[in-house]
Amino acid sequence: MTYCDLTDLQCGQTYNISVFSQDESCSSVASDRSYVRTAPCAPQNVTVDAQCDEGTMVVSWSPNPDARYFHVAAVSNTMARLYCNSSGTMCTLNNLPCGQSYNVTVLSVRDDCESKPSRVVETSSVPCVPMNSKGDLDCVSNSAWVVWDDSKGATSYFVLAQSAGGHSSNCTASSSHCNVPDLKCGTLYTFHVTAMNKHCSSNHSATFEIETGPCALTSVNATTECHNDTILVEWENTVDMPLYLVTAEADDQTTISCKSTSNKCLLENVVCGTHYSIIVSASSDKCSTLRSPPKKIKTAPCAPGNVTAVPSCEENGAAVTWAKSPVAISYHLTATGEDGHVVNCSSSVNNCSLADLHCGQMYNFSITATGDDCTSYPSTSSFRTVPCAPFGLAVDLDCHTNSAMLSWNASEGAMEYFSCAQPMEGDALYCGSSNTSCTFDGLECGDIYNFSVQASNGICNSSFSPPLQMGAAPCPPTYLNVRMQRIDETFWAMISWDRVNCSDVQYLVELIGRINNNQQTLMNISSYWLPLPYFEFPMPCSTAYNVTVRSKNSAGVSKPSSVFSGVTVPCPPQNIRYTGDRQSAVLSWDPSVFATWYTVTSVVDGVRGMLCNTTEISCVVSDFSPNATEVTASNDVGESNPNGNITGPMGARRRRDLRTTQVFARLEENLEMPEELRVTAKGVSLYVKWKAVKGATEYTLVINEKLREEQSSLTPVVRSVEGTSHRETGLKPWTRYCVKVAAKNVLIQSNYSHKCTNTTAS
């Protein structure tokens, strides 16, 4: 297009403008320059001086050489508008009506351009003069109540009473009435009222006069005792006065009175914390010539009321306030905690600030007010401080979901808790809870976290608890496989597993075995930590073993994986012997542990030929050569090394020991499924018990988390148990688990018995 709008230009500036034309690859030379001036800037430092006596206001501002002149606008609260123009730095608005408020702004003008308005300045004209002022005398207190009509534009009023002798008294009020106190008896006063606002004062109102009552009786004395609701009034007795009336008027113009025929009288039902003006008069004429001047007295302070305590969270304290007592000159507060901690505060005003209170405590407040001679009864209140930082933190990490459940002990007075998991690097995770536990999701595997928690009572938060450091350690591998391999004459367990989905993970293989399946000949070996998902162990023959794998990274070490149980290849048969001759011979040998069949092989010129394959420990062979015959033992895992050490012939065959055969015969019998399976949940633990099964040497226990009615968790807990009971701890709270148990010996395993438990608790 052949035009362009330029925005966000600065005020009071001259801009030079040039234009370039462009295609896809080139730009032209600049056009001739054009110049433009922006509008002048708004006037700064605008002030208004209200000249009340002249009914004008003078508006001034800072110089602006970019403007030709300035335009002033004043808009009143009645929407009346006043204007003036000036080429200097001030302008005067005249003939302001009384009782108006104004919003004043100034514009800078140059040619046809006006600046934005200056900031608004608020001002007022002089208040209107109060009208219809009048007053009434209060004979008891020798004070005057003055009233008048409201004046437009007034925010307060000043009432002045002056006598011809020079004595004066006054009062100030925000409404249209006021009490002028402490007037002298028997004196004529002239009164007038002046209206005020923060800028101006009006002329005073029309005057009026009030004459106070005469003075007669003298020497009046009034006394009261602390915490007593009476005032004793005494005076000088006057001849021929058979009856006296004593009247006491309080600050709120309520009165009490008593009558007496002597020179004293007792005023009852006196109110605490009150100023009283007392006069003694003859008969019932309070404004007669037979009356005393007012006698002023203060009663004892009342117990402070309306006690409130606002927590001051950062100082672990409270700002305590109470209703002000009119006669009190000081106050004393004592705060006592449940643990005996005491804090005191003295103040001349009706508030106190307490700091460094003990956390989680209920404090009882006792507040007394002190007057000239008396101290009030105490008022009481209570306040609970900010909760203490939680303690007893514990973290249960779930490596499968990359989550952690943080738990802690409850803090007294806490309504909710805010917990934090701060990694060594990166952003923290937050969790809020009204209970004493919270679950963090989205933990990064391998990170170390500082877990902490703070308590809140809805107003203040405690400090954070000391951090508990835990690492988001990886899970153990879920799939584990063992393959036996022969290298030369040595058998190796080739162990492999699936990698854990986590960075910088290393693995440790742990293997526990029973050589010849004998509890007296145990082996316990482990690998070093390695990053590869496989490892190899040389293994003895005829050994039962359990293999587990752990994983770790910078955050810590996982629990062991599920157990992989297996056996190695059998050892070569021992004590091989034969009877008979080379045409027909009977070979026999001792059984090999874990062997399920045996093979007799002839070896002639490196060529092997099978002579016999049997599950027994003897065999009949023909064309037999003791020096060219070997016997091996086999099972599902593999074949043993051969044994060619054969002895014989025997003159009389020794009776074979049948005990081993009988043992294996019993082992080959079917195992019963465990009965009377009982599962009990207590907290986050399960206790499992069952009846012993004949022929079983151990039991396989499988614990599954029940997800739905038709589905269980994919990573069960598997345990090998040699007894008939097992306790599993550290399970998830509020979770249903199913348990199954199978009997097992070195050869076979029974079917599983199955049972689900009730939900675990927290």
Side-chain angles (χ1 to χ4, degrees):
M1 306 298 291
T2 58
Y3 62 87
C4 185
D5 291 332
L6 300 177
T7 59
D8 298 326
L9 301 180
Q10 296 181 351
C11 64
Q13 299 291 324
T14 299
Y15 287 86
N16 60 74
I17 302 169
S18 58
V19 183
F20 299 83
S21 57
Q22 293 178 321
D23 60 15
E24 293 179 352
S25 57
C26 294
S27 177
S28 73
V29 297
S31 68
D32 293 337
R33 292 185 176 183
S34 177
Y35 297 90
V36 64
R37 294 179 69 187
T38 57
C41 295
Q44 302 296 311
N45 302 319
V46 177
T47 60
V48 178
D49 180 19
Q51 299 182 351
C52 305
D53 294 339
E54 291 80 11
T56 63
M57 69 172 75
V58 178
V59 184
S60 59
W61 52 88
S62 297
N64 183 357
D66 194 42
R68 289 185 58 196
Y69 68 92
F70 300 89
H71 178 71
V72 179
V75 181
S76 74
N77 56 307
T78 61
M79 302 310 293
R81 297 176 181 270
L82 304 176
Y83 303 103
C84 70
N85 293 329
S86 172
S87 59
T89 58
M90 65 175 58
C91 194
T92 302
L93 296 172
N94 300 306
N95 301 320
L96 302 179
C98 69
Q100 300 289 304
S101 60
Y102 293 92
N103 289 333
V104 180
T105 57
V106 185
L107 297 176
S108 300
V109 182
R110 186 194 66 240
D111 300 331
D112 294 329
C113 284
E114 292 183 350
S115 71
K116 293 181 179 179
S118 67
R119 68 174 182 86
V120 175
V121 179
E122 296 180 352
T123 188
S124 301
S125 62
V126 64
C128 296
V129 175
M131 305 296 290
N132 300 322
S133 58
K134 57 184 178 180
D136 292 313
L137 178 67
D138 185 335
C139 296
V140 175
S141 60
N142 257 7
S143 62
W145 276 97
V146 180
V147 296
W148 57 90
D149 295 341
D150 287 333
S151 296
K152 289 195 300 182
T155 57
S156 63
Y157 301 90
F158 177 76
V159 181
L160 178 64
Q162 288 183 309
S163 69
H167 180 256
S168 65
S169 182
N170 61 77
C171 65
T172 302
S174 58
S175 56
S176 58
H177 56 83
C178 192
N179 179 259
V180 182
D182 301 326
L183 303 179
K184 290 185 177 182
C185 58
T187 304
L188 178 65
Y189 285 90
T190 300
F191 293 80
H192 66 255
V193 184
T194 303
M196 299 179 293
N197 59 31
K198 65 179 181 180
H199 301 288
C200 297
S201 297
S202 72
N203 293 328
H204 64 72
S205 66
T207 61
F208 62 91
E209 294 179 341
I210 295 178
E211 184 176 2
T212 59
C215 304
L217 295 173
T218 60
S219 302
V220 176
N221 185 39
T223 56
T224 183
E225 296 180 2
C226 298
H227 311 311
N228 195 338
D229 62 352
T230 62
I231 298 175
L232 178 62
V233 184
E234 299 176 291
W235 60 90
E236 183 179 350
N237 203 355
T238 303
V239 181
D240 298 331
M241 290 294 111
L243 181 64
Y244 296 92
L245 175 66
V246 179
T247 304
E249 184 177 275
D251 306 319
D252 59 358
Q253 292 189 294
T254 59
T255 60
I256 55 176
S257 62
C258 64
K259 294 180 180 180
S260 174
T261 57
S262 64
N263 64 333
K264 58 184 175 180
C265 191
L266 188 66
L267 293 169
E268 297 180 339
N269 300 321
V270 173
V271 179
C272 63
T274 304
H275 291 88
Y276 280 98
S277 293
I278 302 172
I279 66 167
V280 181
S281 61
S283 185
S284 61
D285 188 357
K286 292 187 292 183
C287 282
S288 71
T289 58
L290 297 177
R291 59 187 295 276
S292 69
K295 177 69 175 181
K296 296 186 180 297
I297 190 172
K298 292 186 291 186
T299 57
C302 299
N306 298 328
V307 180
T308 60
V310 177
S312 51
C313 302
E314 294 182 359
E315 293 80 15
N316 196 16
V320 186
T321 60
W322 53 87
K324 190 174 182 180
S325 176
V327 302
I329 58 177
S330 66
Y331 304 90
H332 185 78
L333 181 150
T334 299
T336 305
E338 293 172 306
D339 60 356
H341 181 232
V342 177
V343 177
N344 293 292
C345 175
S346 295
S347 174
S348 60
V349 294
N350 59 323
N351 62 78
C352 261
S353 294
L354 306 178
D356 299 324
L357 302 179
H358 293 181
C359 64
Q361 293 284 311
M362 181 67 76
Y363 278 81
N364 292 318
F365 295 149
S366 174
I367 307 172
T368 57
T370 301
D372 292 335
D373 302 308
C374 294
T375 299
S376 71
Y377 288 114
S379 64
T380 59
S381 183
S382 60
F383 168 78
R384 183 172 292 280
T385 58
V386 61
C388 296
F391 64 97
L393 273 64
V395 177
D396 184 12
L397 290 163
D398 188 339
C399 62
H400 296 290
T401 60
N402 284 337
S403 64
M405 186 178 74
L406 175 66
S407 60
W408 55 87
N409 293 332
S411 294
E412 187 69 30
M415 298 175 59
E416 57 184 336
Y417 300 90
F418 304 103
S419 48
C420 172
Q422 176 66 60
M424 293 300 156
E425 295 181 359
D427 297 331
L429 302 176
Y430 296 95
C431 183
S433 173
S434 58
N435 301 316
T436 56
S437 65
C438 209
T439 299
F440 293 91
D441 295 316
L443 272 64
E444 292 292 334
C445 179
D447 276 355
I448 303 293
Y449 289 85
N450 285 321
F451 292 90
S452 57
V453 62
Q454 64 178 176
S456 173
N457 58 9
I459 301 174
C460 292
N461 296 338
S462 73
S463 59
F464 272 99
S465 63
L468 174 62
Q469 190 173 88
M470 292 287 287
C475 291
T478 56
Y479 171 77
L480 188 62
N481 184 51
V482 179
R483 179 173 58 87
M484 300 303 298
Q485 181 173 338
R486 174 186 290 176
I487 302 177
D488 296 331
E489 293 187 356
T490 305
F491 292 94
W492 293 76
M494 317 297 286
I495 304 168
S496 61
W497 54 89
D498 59 336
R499 290 184 181 270
V500 174
N501 185 20
C502 194
S503 60
D504 301 325
V505 176
Q506 293 182 315
Y507 305 93
L508 178 74
V509 185
E510 298 173 306
L511 186 148
I512 299 174
R514 300 188 300 273
I515 301 174
N516 281 328
N517 202 28
N518 187 344
Q519 292 286 357
Q520 304 301 317
T521 55
L522 299 178
M523 61 182 292
N524 189 341
I525 57 177
S526 64
S527 70
Y528 50 85
W529 288 102
L530 72 160
L532 301 175
Y534 55 84
F535 197 78
E536 302 170 352
F537 286 117
M539 294 293 292
C541 57
S542 294
T543 298
Y545 61 85
N546 289 330
V547 177
T548 58
V549 180
R550 297 176 186 265
S551 58
K552 79 166 185 178
N553 59 13
S554 58
V557 180
S558 74
K559 296 179 180 179
S561 66
S562 299
V563 176
F564 184 98
S565 299
V567 297
T568 63
V569 299
C571 292
Q574 301 297 311
N575 195 22
I576 306 173
R577 52 207 179 271
Y578 74 93
T579 59
D581 52 27
R582 292 176 178 268
Q583 284 73 33
S584 178
V586 177
L587 271 72
S588 62
W589 52 84
D590 292 341
S592 292
V593 177
F594 298 136
T596 55
W597 73 89
Y598 301 89
T599 304
V600 181
T601 306
S602 65
V603 182
V604 179
D605 296 331
V607 178
R608 303 177 66 86
M610 187 175 68
L611 300 178
C612 177
N613 194 14
T614 180
T615 61
E616 303 295 330
I617 57 174
S618 64
C619 187
V620 178
V621 296
S622 58
D623 296 330
F624 168 67
S625 174
N627 296 326
T629 302
E630 295 176 342
V631 181
T632 59
S634 300
N635 58 18
D636 291 338
V637 180
E639 186 179 42
S640 72
N641 291 323
N643 186 0
N645 185 14
I646 303 174
T647 61
M650 300 178 61
R653 182 173 181 179
R654 180 167 50 88
R655 182 179 179 183
R656 177 160 48 92
D657 188 352
L658 298 178
R659 287 177 296 174
T660 303
T661 304
Q662 292 170 354
V663 170
F664 272 85
R666 287 199 300 271
L667 291 176
E668 291 174 356
E669 295 176 358
N670 289 333
L671 291 175
E672 297 284 342
M673 182 176 67
E675 297 180 349
E676 300 181 15
L677 177 61
R678 295 193 297 273
V679 182
T680 305
K682 185 174 182 181
V684 291
S685 299
L686 291 180
Y687 179 72
V688 187
K689 186 173 178 61
W690 58 90
K691 187 176 180 181
V693 176
K694 182 179 179 182
T697 59
E698 60 180 342
Y699 300 87
T700 300
L701 177 70
V702 181
I703 302 174
N704 279 285
E705 178 184 343
K706 191 70 174 177
L707 300 179
R708 296 193 299 270
E709 289 300 326
E710 71 278 2
Q711 182 182 356
S712 296
S713 61
L714 299 179
T715 55
V717 177
V718 181
R719 300 283 185 257
S720 291
V721 182
E722 294 185 356
T724 58
S725 65
H726 176 73
R727 182 183 298 276
E728 183 70 24
T729 62
L731 300 174
K732 294 181 181 179
W734 311 116
T735 305
R736 193 171 183 230
Y737 286 91
C738 292
V739 179
K740 58 183 180 179
V741 180
K744 183 180 180 183
N745 58 35
V746 296
L747 296 179
I748 59 175
Q749 177 174 297
S750 74
N751 293 328
Y752 282 97
S753 59
H754 181 272
K755 188 166 186 177
C756 293
T757 184
N758 294 329
T759 303
T760 55
S762 61

